[in-house]
Amino acid sequence: MLTEVEVAEQLPVNLFEFEAIAAKRIPKQAFDYFSSGANDEITLRENRNAFERISLYPRMLRDVDRRDLCVTLLTGQRISMPIMIAPMAFQKMAHPDGELATIEAANNAETIMVLSTLSTCSIEEVAARAQGNLWFQLYVYRDKAITESLVKRAEVAGCKALVLTVDSPLLGRREQDVRNGFHLPAGLTCSNLVDSKLNAMPLHAGDSGLAAYIHALYDQSLTWKDVEWLKSITTMPILLKGILRADDAELAIKHGAAGIIVSNHGGRQLDTVPATISVLRKIADTVAGRVELYLDGGVRRGTDVLKALALGAKAVLLGRPVLWGLGQGGRAGVELALALLQSEFELAMILSGCATLSDITRDLVEQ
Amino acid sequence: MLTEVEVAEQLPVNLFEFEAIAAKRIPKQAFDYFSSGANDEITLRENRNAFERISLYPRMLRDVDRRDLCVTLLTGQRISMPIMIAPMAFQKMAHPDGELATIEAANNAETIMVLSTLSTCSIEEVAARAQGNLWFQLYVYRDKAITESLVKRAEVAGCKALVLTVDSPLLGRREQDVRNGFHLPAGLTCSNLVDSKLNAMPLHAGDSGLAAYIHALYDQSLTWKDVEWLKSITTMPILLKGILRADDAELAIKHGAAGIIVSNHGGRQLDTVPATISVLRKIADTVAGRVELYLDGGVRRGTDVLKALALGAKAVLLGRPVLWGLGQGGRAGVELALALLQSEFELAMILSGCATLSDITRDLVEQ
Amino acid sequence: MLTEVEVAEQLPVNLFEFEAIAAKRIPKQAFDYFSSGANDEITLRENRNAFERISLYPRMLRDVDRRDLCVTLLTGQRISMPIMIAPMAFQKMAHPDGELATIEAANNAETIMVLSTLSTCSIEEVAARAQGNLWFQLYVYRDKAITESLVKRAEVAGCKALVLTVDSPLLGRREQDVRNGFHLPAGLTCSNLVDSKLNAMPLHAGDSGLAAYIHALYDQSLTWKDVEWLKSITTMPILLKGILRADDAELAIKHGAAGIIVSNHGGRQLDTVPATISVLRKIADTVAGRVELYLDGGVRRGTDVLKALALGAKAVLLGRPVLWGLGQGGRAGVELALALLQSEFELAMILSGCATLSDITRDLVEQ
Amino acid sequence: MLTEVEVAEQLPVNLFEFEAIAAKRIPKQAFDYFSSGANDEITLRENRNAFERISLYPRMLRDVDRRDLCVTLLTGQRISMPIMIAPMAFQKMAHPDGELATIEAANNAETIMVLSTLSTCSIEEVAARAQGNLWFQLYVYRDKAITESLVKRAEVAGCKALVLTVDSPLLGRREQDVRNGFHLPAGLTCSNLVDSKLNAMPLHAGDSGLAAYIHALYDQSLTWKDVEWLKSITTMPILLKGILRADDAELAIKHGAAGIIVSNHGGRQLDTVPATISVLRKIADTVAGRVELYLDGGVRRGTDVLKALALGAKAVLLGRPVLWGLGQGGRAGVELALALLQSEFELAMILSGCATLSDITRDLVEQ
């Protein structure tokens, strides 16, 4: 683990450099798990390429002396910037402090962390450190009692929203995990599943242990009706994560979702699906403000955030770079990553002539 | 030859890895013959690139707990998945068991094998091991008696369909074969042509021996009328393999074809023809269900199968990876290749929200 | 420093070779500052790629025996070719003679030099060598008295036009400068700011010293009203440099700009903005001749100049290659760079069937 | 010089391999002159890339047993294939036999050779070996008497057509020639200009000697009226070589051209002009059969010839590969190159379902 001083000594200048540094600090099996995508990683690369292909058309000579990056979310929460922390499993594989370091960095940055069902610290542990800025990401188990228990615990612990992942009836085939026979390192556990005794991930010859775990335990019969069931058992607003089609967005609204996260699971589920930024526009046009839209997938640059907002997102969720920061320096590393992206985003706003988020209009990417 | 154990020890995780392993096991001249395409191999590469460019738009929250991958073909045959084995010549060059290993793997996978006219085991030998799952691919010889004899033998042996290759009045120029002076290795023969004494492929200076063989023996005057003639001499339904234009598909129907295989011969005939997946949609719109459509060319991923079906194919035919499996481990290797692709295809269905083949609709690739 | 003889001995044959030679002669920190772009340098590369993607459709059999490359500008100045010298800071970092060498090369080439606010020779020093061919580029300081003083000094010194940079409320993030901790080398100073004591650029840990300087001193509240204010304090015509949108061009005209320089600051401000040549056509259609249009960004070939003129530019401004020439051989090196581009441009005109600039019509790039 | 046996021993299998072999046999200065293009060689590469991007849509089941590749030209000449030899200067730089070897290879292949004004054998020498299959390419000198003399000599010698190059008022900037200070090797001369004493190409410091020669001697005031003048002094039909625009094609017809060669001078004149195959369709639509269309530029594959004919060309002209064949084996090498391309073209016809040239219709490249 790095001291803050050591972190400062090798300060990366952009989020890409975070990954290079993390690759040296995080054990290979864990780094492979975090970094890889499904199959040929076409979607993984396309998440970046699509952002890079979008041109920005900045407006000049607008007063940008004072900026306001704050945004108020459907939950009523006001965060310091339209950048949140995406749900990611097994954070102790990146750093011993795991999700606890991440929530403290979120506190410091005044933003929201979405906690994964597959966290290595329990909902209660993380919520104890949170400052009203925790959401909970849900995987649905075949055993509905387990699912219901997870939802109730999240609500009791003070989570402000429930993020239902809809793109993972099974795990995408991440070939590096198959080659590595990926499994949780000794000493780590799925902390939220200890009571239900589903916290262990047995070794599985010739496959990813996580793939086998999900195959055995997740509910492959999940449908839109289950969204209504979840609504019936919680007061938390429900967001659906993993929507890539406008007709699915319409169904999400119909079945009571409060928000939609346009996501392809970081390119880790079905390979060759489009980049999220490529489908955002059409979904935003369909949703037309009826529920809130979020996006994750490939966000690495301040200009990416600007583009996502110009195309209809309320905020973006940052994924892997948080893990790279965590691996590099624990809480301080995550803070560094968040601060760097915030700073880039603010500069992108300034150079585009935007003083507030409402200045970020679609004409910035369409001329 | 590998034991099944040895195969398992170096289990490839995708079909691309099969090729790399096979390149070390199959003699160079044979590997070159199997792997290369015509001229600059532009079509060979495009067969892959075109699949990779097509985006999938998966539907979420659909019950995919129970899947059915079975499909019933024009022949009335019901197979376990919409993946069949394409006709490929000279399989003993990949493995001593040759076509006999392939038919047994097809039996095990409950799918169809299309036997090449240029097989190194005879129709009768292969048919003796088949379980009603053999089709016969036909090249038409100038000597109509030979052609008629091949058709009759296939019918008598129990082949369920006749696949007429229409794209090969001459052999495409495969430069690596020219450089190698490609010819059948000692001990191998065109087993179906022994009676007609056309089983040998004499060495031909500065050319591929196969190109010279075909130049001398195949009928370059073949026309649509010959399709009608073939219909008159067999009760087997006739499929035309090698169609790339909608107007040719229309002619195929007019002249009595029962099915069409959209194919560019694996990029081995006329270079710079489009990828098969690129022309499938237009041909499917023209055919409009009047006859069955199949596709081969570049299928390597489960998502490729999904895309082909979404664009109108009833099933796809797998080519070279079968040879790489054969070369790697005989029957067990072919089974491995088929099982891997089936598994990938099933996962692609699940992650796209498809429980049955009828759920695979065109909107999965068009939004 | 090279003698003219030495320059001749290793005569580069195109402007790209100038850069390679300069990379060996200019100290790394300075070379990095001059050569790099913002962030991923996507716009930097796109400035070149966009020129290369545009096809020319030359006209044949037109009398091109006598050519006239001269052009008369809004200022009434007549220059020998539609190629001027873009404003660039800190030219003494490239060569001890700095901006004095550049103005003398401009004199020799009978073209215009735009002097940067951040020059290492003062307005008065450079103007003393000029031959009525100096324009002044302005950055607006928060302290309006300083800004006003700069404008007045430029006017008194005989500058013929004022080029207001509108794309730089803050400095773009040029990562190589951040890594280098870029600052002015010992002995160099912002010569125009000596009186206002803003001539030094203090070292700034973990950042570009110039970025910090601009953050502290430039006016981030600059708006269109300030254009009117500038008009009220000077008789020089005002050009706005950094416009990338047609609606901003319309605003520029409305607020009294005499000319527009379509520019993305050489890819150094907001990354992923389009190449200037890609937006020129639309801006030219909007402006429709009401004010003069110029372009900089990626001009390296005679055909680039031809394309810019065909798409509506009156002239182009050449940037980095001037610095490479300066670094290579002082005044002689700059002359060489200008002469090479002029020669290429003249040949491009001849081979396109253009004897005069008015022959350069849009159909040369649109068929 | 190679014997035919030696040529056979290292038989290249495609025209690209001819270049690799020639690069070892032809002196570097000459090879650079022959192989290079103008400036960044964007057009040079695009000539190939554009052919490779065009897809072929072959027709199946058409009788291709007997093929006829012959074509009758505007001159009434009937040649064995729609492939001719493009005009190329200084052929003795490739092989001591120079243009004499080329005409004999043309005789053998029953096709036409276009002799360059800048040949190293004289019109009379080459015509003496020709069999009614020689055309003459003309550069127009400032001194009209010289030009007129060249035309008269060509007519008297029996040339059947005059090919006026219209894209070369000056030489394109071929940077490799500039670096090499390109000049004719000792012992070689511009044989057609001996009488007019313009046969020498003096060394020119820091430039291509040929560029300087052309700058001094060619007529930069050439216009459409000169086409009419040429018509008035010869009975040979006049073809214009170097047209890239449909409006210029219209002018060519108006001023009495009998044919048009769509050409970009092999990418050697104005860089970034489009590939010839990219502009052929539009020009063919404009010309609509009123005069004959030819094409050169990047033809290396039999499928290229097929594509050019499908898009409207009567025949193509082959350039550099003729020189590579010449360099490799004199007359035998040229014959080899022509035979290889003819063979590839015939195979492309067969595999596309074309028995005669009239079967090559536009639908082969447009679906």
Side-chain angles (χ1 to χ4, degrees):
Chain A
M1 182 179 174
L2 284 181
T3 65
E4 290 192 32
V5 170
E6 287 166 334
V7 169
E9 278 174 3
Q10 54 177 333
L11 218 57
V13 305
N14 59 45
L15 291 185
F16 299 110
E17 294 190 351
F18 272 83
E19 179 166 358
I21 295 170
K24 296 178 192 158
R25 295 181 178 277
I26 299 178
K28 174 177 161 45
Q29 191 201 238
F31 181 81
D32 285 352
Y33 170 76
F34 289 141
S35 63
S36 63
N39 300 105
D40 297 310
E41 302 191 333
I42 289 169
T43 297
L44 179 68
R45 290 189 296 276
E46 175 66 4
N47 273 351
R48 280 301 313 145
N49 293 341
F51 271 121
E52 297 191 351
R53 283 195 304 267
I54 296 174
S55 290
L56 282 173
Y57 297 85
R59 290 185 290 258
M60 300 302 158
L61 291 176
R62 294 161 60 99
D63 182 348
V64 290
D65 201 29
R66 290 152 188 262
R67 280 84 59 180
D68 181 1
L69 278 66
C70 293
V71 58
T72 303
L73 304 180
L74 57 93
T75 53
Q77 293 166 289
R78 185 164 177 81
I79 55 178
S80 69
M81 57 179 173
I83 300 166
M84 301 161 48
I85 298 177
M88 288 170 289
F90 311 137
Q91 298 188 11
K92 282 190 178 171
M93 295 197 318
H95 188 277
D97 294 346
E99 291 83 0
L100 298 185
T102 306
I103 187 63
E104 293 193 342
N107 294 343
N108 175 279
E110 296 174 46
T111 191
I112 282 167
M113 172 189 182
V114 187
L115 183 69
S116 170
T117 288
L118 297 177
S119 58
T120 41
C121 303
S122 71
I123 302 171
E124 291 76 11
E125 287 177 282
V126 180
R129 309 267 185 120
Q131 298 175 344
N133 57 341
L134 194 66
W135 291 5
F136 182 70
Q137 175 272 336
L138 180 72
Y139 284 122
V140 175
Y141 284 71
R142 285 183 187 275
D143 182 339
K144 288 256 161 132
I146 293 170
T147 305
E148 189 162 350
S149 158
L150 286 166
V151 173
K152 297 290 189 197
R153 285 169 59 193
E155 184 164 342
V156 167
C159 293
K160 298 292 191 222
L162 188 68
V163 173
L164 176 66
T165 297
V166 298
D167 61 9
S168 303
L170 288 183
L171 199 72
R173 187 162 167 93
R174 303 157 194 178
E175 300 184 349
Q176 200 54 36
D177 289 352
V178 175
R179 289 187 194 98
N180 291 340
F182 171 73
H183 59 278
L184 272 182
L188 300 192
T189 193
C190 298
S191 297
N192 295 325
L193 284 303
V194 172
D195 293 344
S196 41
K197 303 205 166 74
L198 301 180
N199 55 311
M201 193 187 299
L203 280 172
H204 196 94
D207 199 358
S208 153
L210 180 60
Y213 177 93
I214 287 176
H215 189 270
L217 298 176
Y218 285 12
D219 183 0
Q220 279 97 48
S221 69
L222 199 72
T223 68
W224 295 101
K225 286 194 182 295
D226 296 293
V227 178
E228 295 178 9
W229 169 71
L230 283 170
K231 273 182 69 87
S232 75
I233 63 167
T234 183
T235 60
M236 291 184 289
I238 296 173
L239 295 96
L240 302 192
K241 175 171 174 285
I243 300 292
L244 290 172
R245 295 166 57 114
D247 52 4
D248 274 359
E250 191 66 49
L251 285 170
I253 296 172
K254 181 177 160 197
H255 290 279
I260 288 165
I261 304 177
V262 176
S263 172
N264 54 31
H265 216 118
R268 295 159 76 80
Q269 286 294 104
L270 182 64
D271 200 19
T272 75
V273 304
T276 49
I277 194 68
S278 300
V279 297
L280 178 60
R281 181 185 323 220
K282 187 170 179 186
I283 292 175
D285 287 345
T286 296
V287 167
R290 289 178 289 166
V291 299
E292 283 189 358
L293 267 184
Y294 298 82
L295 173 141
D296 70 12
V299 174
R300 296 293 179 274
R301 286 290 187 188
T303 46
D304 300 338
V305 183
L306 191 73
K307 290 168 185 178
L309 268 61
L311 287 166
K314 182 90 171 190
V316 301
L317 289 86
L318 187 66
R320 292 180 181 90
V322 168
L323 297 170
W324 309 146
L326 191 59
Q328 180 183 340
R331 169 187 166 166
V334 178
E335 286 173 8
L336 204 61
L338 291 170
L340 183 52
L341 186 60
Q342 180 175 30
S343 162
E344 280 195 10
F345 172 57
E346 185 174 5
L347 181 57
M349 284 180 65
I350 291 168
L351 297 181
S352 302
C354 299
T356 69
L357 301 188
S358 63
D359 292 330
I360 303 173
T361 47
R362 193 173 287 187
D363 59 295
L364 286 176
V365 293
E366 280 179 1
Q367 284 281 296
Chain B
M1 181 178 172
L2 283 180
T3 65
E4 291 192 31
V5 171
E6 288 167 334
V7 169
E9 278 174 3
Q10 55 177 333
L11 217 58
V13 306
N14 60 45
L15 291 185
F16 300 110
E17 294 190 351
F18 272 84
E19 179 166 358
I21 295 170
K24 296 177 192 158
R25 293 180 179 279
I26 299 177
K28 175 176 160 47
Q29 190 201 238
F31 180 82
D32 286 351
Y33 170 77
F34 289 142
S35 63
S36 63
N39 301 104
D40 298 310
E41 301 191 334
I42 289 170
T43 296
L44 179 68
R45 290 188 297 276
E46 176 66 4
N47 273 352
R48 279 302 313 145
N49 293 341
F51 271 122
E52 297 192 351
R53 283 195 306 266
I54 295 175
S55 291
L56 282 173
Y57 296 85
R59 289 185 291 257
M60 301 301 158
L61 292 175
R62 294 161 60 99
D63 182 350
V64 290
D65 201 31
R66 289 151 188 264
R67 279 83 59 180
D68 181 1
L69 278 65
C70 293
V71 58
T72 302
L73 304 181
L74 58 92
T75 52
Q77 293 165 291
R78 185 166 177 81
I79 55 177
S80 68
M81 57 178 173
I83 301 167
M84 301 158 49
I85 298 177
M88 289 171 288
F90 312 137
Q91 298 190 9
K92 281 189 177 171
M93 295 197 316
H95 188 277
D97 294 347
E99 291 83 1
L100 298 184
T102 306
I103 187 63
E104 293 194 342
N107 294 342
N108 175 279
E110 295 174 45
T111 190
I112 282 168
M113 172 188 182
V114 187
L115 183 68
S116 171
T117 289
L118 297 177
S119 58
T120 42
C121 301
S122 72
I123 302 172
E124 292 75 12
E125 286 175 283
V126 180
R129 309 265 185 122
Q131 299 175 344
N133 59 340
L134 195 65
W135 290 5
F136 182 69
Q137 175 273 336
L138 180 71
Y139 285 123
V140 175
Y141 285 70
R142 286 183 188 276
D143 182 340
K144 289 256 161 133
I146 293 170
T147 306
E148 188 161 351
S149 159
L150 286 167
V151 173
K152 298 289 189 196
R153 286 169 58 193
E155 184 163 343
V156 166
C159 293
K160 298 293 190 219
L162 188 68
V163 173
L164 175 66
T165 297
V166 298
D167 61 10
S168 304
L170 287 183
L171 198 73
R173 186 162 168 94
R174 303 156 194 180
E175 300 183 352
Q176 199 54 36
D177 289 351
V178 175
R179 290 186 193 99
N180 291 340
F182 172 73
H183 59 279
L184 271 181
L188 300 191
T189 193
C190 298
S191 297
N192 295 325
L193 283 304
V194 172
D195 292 345
S196 41
K197 302 205 167 75
L198 302 180
N199 54 310
M201 194 186 299
L203 281 172
H204 196 93
D207 198 358
S208 152
L210 179 59
Y213 176 93
I214 288 176
H215 189 269
L217 299 175
Y218 285 11
D219 184 1
Q220 280 97 48
S221 69
L222 199 71
T223 68
W224 294 101
K225 285 194 183 297
D226 296 293
V227 178
E228 295 177 9
W229 169 71
L230 284 170
K231 272 180 70 88
S232 74
I233 63 167
T234 183
T235 59
M236 293 184 287
I238 297 174
L239 295 95
L240 303 192
K241 175 171 174 284
I243 299 293
L244 291 171
R245 296 166 56 115
D247 52 4
D248 273 0
E250 191 66 51
L251 284 171
I253 296 172
K254 181 177 159 196
H255 289 278
I260 288 166
I261 303 177
V262 176
S263 172
N264 53 33
H265 217 119
R268 295 159 76 81
Q269 286 294 106
L270 182 63
D271 199 19
T272 75
V273 304
T276 49
I277 194 69
S278 301
V279 297
L280 178 60
R281 180 184 325 220
K282 187 171 178 185
I283 293 176
D285 287 346
T286 296
V287 167
R290 289 178 289 167
V291 298
E292 283 190 357
L293 268 184
Y294 298 82
L295 173 141
D296 70 13
V299 174
R300 296 294 180 272
R301 286 290 187 187
T303 46
D304 300 338
V305 183
L306 191 74
K307 290 168 186 179
L309 267 61
L311 287 166
K314 182 90 171 191
V316 301
L317 290 85
L318 187 66
R320 291 179 181 90
V322 168
L323 297 170
W324 309 147
L326 191 60
Q328 180 183 341
R331 169 187 167 166
V334 178
E335 287 172 10
L336 204 61
L338 291 170
L340 183 52
L341 186 61
Q342 179 175 31
S343 162
E344 279 195 10
F345 172 57
E346 185 173 7
L347 182 57
M349 285 180 64
I350 291 169
L351 297 180
S352 302
C354 300
T356 69
L357 301 188
S358 63
D359 292 329
I360 303 173
T361 46
R362 192 172 289 187
D363 58 295
L364 286 176
V365 292
E366 279 179 2
Q367 283 281 295
Chain C
M1 180 179 172
L2 285 180
T3 64
E4 290 192 32
V5 171
E6 288 166 333
V7 169
E9 278 174 3
Q10 55 177 332
L11 217 59
V13 305
N14 60 45
L15 290 185
F16 300 110
E17 293 190 350
F18 272 83
E19 178 165 0
I21 295 170
K24 296 177 193 159
R25 295 181 178 277
I26 299 178
K28 175 178 162 44
Q29 192 201 237
F31 181 80
D32 285 352
Y33 169 76
F34 289 141
S35 63
S36 63
N39 301 104
D40 297 311
E41 302 191 333
I42 289 169
T43 295
L44 179 68
R45 289 189 295 276
E46 176 66 5
N47 273 352
R48 280 301 314 146
N49 292 340
F51 271 121
E52 297 191 352
R53 284 195 305 266
I54 296 175
S55 290
L56 282 173
Y57 297 85
R59 288 185 291 256
M60 301 301 157
L61 291 176
R62 294 161 60 97
D63 182 349
V64 290
D65 200 30
R66 289 151 188 264
R67 279 83 60 180
D68 181 1
L69 278 65
C70 293
V71 57
T72 303
L73 305 180
L74 57 93
T75 53
Q77 294 165 288
R78 185 164 177 83
I79 55 179
S80 69
M81 56 178 173
I83 300 167
M84 302 159 51
I85 298 178
M88 289 170 289
F90 311 138
Q91 298 189 12
K92 282 189 177 171
M93 295 197 317
H95 189 278
D97 295 347
E99 291 83 1
L100 298 185
T102 306
I103 187 63
E104 293 194 341
N107 294 344
N108 175 280
E110 296 174 45
T111 191
I112 282 169
M113 173 189 181
V114 186
L115 183 68
S116 170
T117 288
L118 298 177
S119 57
T120 42
C121 302
S122 72
I123 302 171
E124 291 76 11
E125 286 176 282
V126 180
R129 309 265 186 121
Q131 299 176 344
N133 58 341
L134 195 65
W135 291 5
F136 182 70
Q137 175 274 337
L138 180 71
Y139 285 122
V140 175
Y141 285 70
R142 286 183 188 277
D143 182 339
K144 289 256 160 134
I146 293 171
T147 305
E148 190 162 350
S149 157
L150 287 167
V151 173
K152 297 290 190 198
R153 286 168 58 194
E155 185 165 341
V156 167
C159 292
K160 298 292 191 223
L162 188 68
V163 173
L164 175 66
T165 296
V166 297
D167 61 10
S168 303
L170 288 182
L171 198 73
R173 186 162 168 93
R174 302 157 195 179
E175 300 185 350
Q176 200 53 37
D177 289 351
V178 175
R179 291 187 193 98
N180 290 340
F182 171 73
H183 60 279
L184 271 183
L188 299 192
T189 193
C190 299
S191 298
N192 295 326
L193 284 304
V194 173
D195 292 345
S196 41
K197 303 205 167 78
L198 302 180
N199 54 311
M201 192 186 300
L203 280 173
H204 196 93
D207 199 358
S208 153
L210 179 60
Y213 177 92
I214 287 176
H215 189 270
L217 299 176
Y218 284 12
D219 183 2
Q220 280 97 48
S221 70
L222 198 71
T223 69
W224 294 101
K225 285 193 183 298
D226 296 293
V227 178
E228 295 177 9
W229 169 71
L230 284 171
K231 273 181 67 88
S232 75
I233 64 167
T234 183
T235 60
M236 292 184 288
I238 296 174
L239 295 95
L240 302 191
K241 175 171 174 285
I243 299 293
L244 291 172
R245 295 166 58 116
D247 52 5
D248 273 0
E250 190 66 49
L251 285 170
I253 296 172
K254 182 178 159 196
H255 290 278
I260 289 166
I261 303 176
V262 176
S263 172
N264 54 31
H265 215 119
R268 295 160 76 81
Q269 286 294 105
L270 182 64
D271 199 20
T272 75
V273 304
T276 49
I277 194 68
S278 300
V279 297
L280 178 60
R281 179 184 326 219
K282 188 171 177 184
I283 292 175
D285 287 345
T286 297
V287 167
R290 289 178 289 167
V291 299
E292 282 190 358
L293 267 184
Y294 299 81
L295 174 141
D296 71 13
V299 174
R300 295 293 179 274
R301 285 291 188 189
T303 46
D304 300 338
V305 183
L306 191 73
K307 290 168 186 179
L309 267 62
L311 287 166
K314 183 89 170 192
V316 302
L317 290 84
L318 187 66
R320 292 179 180 91
V322 168
L323 297 170
W324 309 146
L326 190 59
Q328 181 183 339
R331 169 188 167 166
V334 178
E335 287 172 8
L336 204 60
L338 291 170
L340 183 51
L341 186 61
Q342 179 175 31
S343 162
E344 280 195 10
F345 171 57
E346 184 174 7
L347 182 57
M349 284 179 64
I350 291 169
L351 297 181
S352 301
C354 301
T356 69
L357 301 188
S358 62
D359 292 330
I360 303 173
T361 46
R362 192 171 289 186
D363 58 295
L364 286 177
V365 292
E366 280 178 3
Q367 284 281 296
Chain D
M1 182 179 171
L2 285 180
T3 64
E4 291 192 31
V5 170
E6 287 166 334
V7 169
E9 278 174 4
Q10 54 177 333
L11 217 59
V13 305
N14 60 45
L15 291 186
F16 300 110
E17 293 190 351
F18 272 84
E19 179 166 358
I21 295 170
K24 296 178 193 158
R25 294 181 178 278
I26 299 178
K28 176 177 159 46
Q29 190 200 239
F31 181 81
D32 286 351
Y33 169 76
F34 289 142
S35 63
S36 63
N39 300 104
D40 297 311
E41 303 191 334
I42 289 169
T43 296
L44 179 67
R45 289 188 297 277
E46 176 65 4
N47 272 353
R48 279 302 313 146
N49 292 340
F51 271 121
E52 297 192 351
R53 283 195 306 266
I54 296 175
S55 290
L56 282 173
Y57 297 85
R59 289 185 292 257
M60 300 302 158
L61 292 175
R62 294 161 60 99
D63 182 349
V64 290
D65 200 31
R66 288 151 188 265
R67 280 83 60 179
D68 182 1
L69 278 65
C70 292
V71 58
T72 303
L73 305 180
L74 57 93
T75 52
Q77 293 166 290
R78 186 163 178 84
I79 55 178
S80 69
M81 56 178 173
I83 301 166
M84 300 158 51
I85 298 177
M88 289 171 289
F90 311 138
Q91 298 189 10
K92 281 190 178 171
M93 295 199 315
H95 188 277
D97 294 346
E99 291 83 1
L100 298 185
T102 306
I103 188 63
E104 293 193 342
N107 294 343
N108 175 279
E110 295 174 46
T111 190
I112 282 168
M113 172 188 181
V114 187
L115 183 69
S116 171
T117 289
L118 298 176
S119 57
T120 42
C121 302
S122 72
I123 302 172
E124 292 76 11
E125 286 176 282
V126 179
R129 309 264 186 122
Q131 300 176 344
N133 58 340
L134 195 65
W135 291 5
F136 182 70
Q137 175 273 336
L138 181 71
Y139 285 122
V140 175
Y141 285 70
R142 286 183 188 275
D143 182 339
K144 289 257 162 132
I146 292 170
T147 306
E148 189 162 351
S149 159
L150 287 166
V151 173
K152 297 289 188 197
R153 287 169 58 195
E155 185 164 342
V156 167
C159 293
K160 298 292 191 222
L162 188 69
V163 173
L164 175 66
T165 297
V166 297
D167 61 9
S168 304
L170 288 183
L171 199 71
R173 187 163 168 93
R174 303 156 194 179
E175 300 184 351
Q176 200 53 36
D177 288 351
V178 175
R179 290 186 193 97
N180 290 341
F182 172 73
H183 59 279
L184 271 182
L188 300 192
T189 193
C190 299
S191 298
N192 295 326
L193 284 305
V194 172
D195 292 344
S196 41
K197 302 205 167 78
L198 302 180
N199 55 310
M201 193 186 300
L203 280 172
H204 197 92
D207 199 359
S208 152
L210 180 59
Y213 177 93
I214 287 176
H215 188 271
L217 298 176
Y218 284 12
D219 183 1
Q220 280 97 48
S221 69
L222 199 71
T223 68
W224 294 101
K225 285 194 183 297
D226 296 292
V227 178
E228 296 177 9
W229 170 71
L230 284 170
K231 272 180 70 87
S232 75
I233 64 166
T234 183
T235 60
M236 292 183 287
I238 297 174
L239 295 96
L240 302 191
K241 175 171 173 285
I243 299 293
L244 291 171
R245 296 166 57 115
D247 52 4
D248 274 359
E250 190 66 50
L251 285 170
I253 296 171
K254 182 178 159 197
H255 290 278
I260 289 166
I261 303 177
V262 176
S263 172
N264 54 32
H265 216 119
R268 295 160 75 82
Q269 286 294 105
L270 182 63
D271 200 19
T272 75
V273 304
T276 48
I277 194 69
S278 301
V279 298
L280 178 60
R281 181 183 325 219
K282 188 172 178 186
I283 293 175
D285 287 345
T286 296
V287 167
R290 289 178 289 166
V291 299
E292 284 191 357
L293 267 183
Y294 299 82
L295 174 140
D296 70 12
V299 173
R300 296 294 179 273
R301 286 291 188 187
T303 46
D304 300 338
V305 183
L306 191 72
K307 290 168 185 178
L309 267 62
L311 288 166
K314 182 89 171 192
V316 303
L317 290 85
L318 187 66
R320 292 179 180 92
V322 169
L323 297 169
W324 309 146
L326 191 59
Q328 180 182 340
R331 168 188 168 165
V334 178
E335 287 172 9
L336 204 61
L338 290 170
L340 183 51
L341 186 60
Q342 179 174 32
S343 163
E344 279 195 10
F345 172 58
E346 184 174 7
L347 182 56
M349 285 180 65
I350 291 169
L351 297 180
S352 302
C354 300
T356 69
L357 302 188
S358 62
D359 292 329
I360 303 173
T361 47
R362 193 174 287 188
D363 59 294
L364 286 177
V365 292
E366 279 179 3
Q367 284 280 294

